[in-house]
Amino acid sequence: MTFEEILEHITALLTFNVIKVSDQQITLGDILFIPLLVIAGLLLSKWLIKLISKRLRKKKTDPNVIHLVERILFVIAIAVIIISILDFMNVPIAAFAFLSGAIAIGFGFGAQNTVCAEHINQVTNIRQKIRFSPHLDCLSPACSPDNQYKYRS
């Protein structure tokens, strides 16, 4: 086998269609290229976040604010990486709009159910009778066992 034939076999393998999403073919090469894009995107975002953090530290910004900014930038970077990968693979992002909307609605109903259940529990606890012990305990060192009968109701 010559070098050109090996390249043709590799090219044929990498252009093999694995799955079809919304009339867009996703090849084996696209899938194998994803980890490289993820690693490069995370390294680049980490470097940029460190650069921004250093500048904020030089300005003597509150460490809590710096940490908050780092986390927000990291979440934004991950979202950009995911959207970029989907765009690279020619997957239309509109195909996921229905799915993400359904997940958001489900999360909202779940949160509403949890809040309602907690509210009902609090109302039930407030309406229960408050029970007091019929005896008062004397915790003072001045109280002797002989005098405890004075403190009983």
Side-chain angles (χ1 to χ4, degrees):
M1 288 183 106
T2 64
F3 184 69
E4 289 82 20
E5 291 175 348
I6 294 173
L7 283 178
E8 286 177 17
H9 286 302
I10 292 174
T11 305
L13 183 64
L14 292 177
T15 57
F16 175 74
N17 292 329
V18 178
I19 193 170
K20 185 176 182 179
V21 177
S22 296
D23 297 330
Q24 296 291 331
Q25 296 291 336
I26 297 176
T27 64
L28 184 63
D30 292 340
I31 293 174
L32 293 176
F33 194 56
I34 290 172
L36 181 65
L37 286 176
V38 169
I39 291 170
L42 288 176
L43 290 175
L44 180 66
S45 64
K46 210 171 197 183
W47 178 74
L48 286 172
I49 290 171
K50 282 185 180 181
L51 181 70
I52 292 170
S53 297
K54 284 181 184 178
R55 290 192 180 203
L56 287 174
R57 284 189 188 99
K58 284 182 182 178
K59 292 182 180 182
K60 297 182 179 177
T61 308
D62 183 24
N64 295 326
V65 174
I66 294 173
H67 185 69
L68 178 68
V69 168
E70 286 175 349
R71 293 295 162 199
I72 289 172
L73 290 176
F74 189 67
V75 168
I76 291 171
I78 289 175
V80 168
I81 290 169
I82 290 172
I83 291 172
S84 299
I85 289 172
L86 290 174
D87 187 46
F88 169 75
M89 292 177 21
N90 295 324
V91 175
I93 298 171
F96 296 105
F98 177 75
L99 180 64
S100 62
I103 290 171
I105 289 171
F107 182 76
F109 281 136
Q112 180 185 12
N113 190 18
T114 304
V115 169
C116 285
E118 186 62 32
H119 177 70
I120 289 170
N121 287 338
Q122 287 177 356
V123 168
T124 304
N125 287 337
I126 289 171
R127 297 188 73 177
Q128 286 180 351
K129 293 180 182 178
I130 300 173
R131 296 185 184 109
F132 293 104
S133 173
H135 304 290
L136 294 174
D137 294 329
C138 181
L139 299 176
S140 171
C143 295
S144 67
D146 299 331
N147 293 335
Q148 282 190 3
Y149 69 91
K150 294 180 183 177
Y151 297 101
R152 297 194 183 262
S153 53

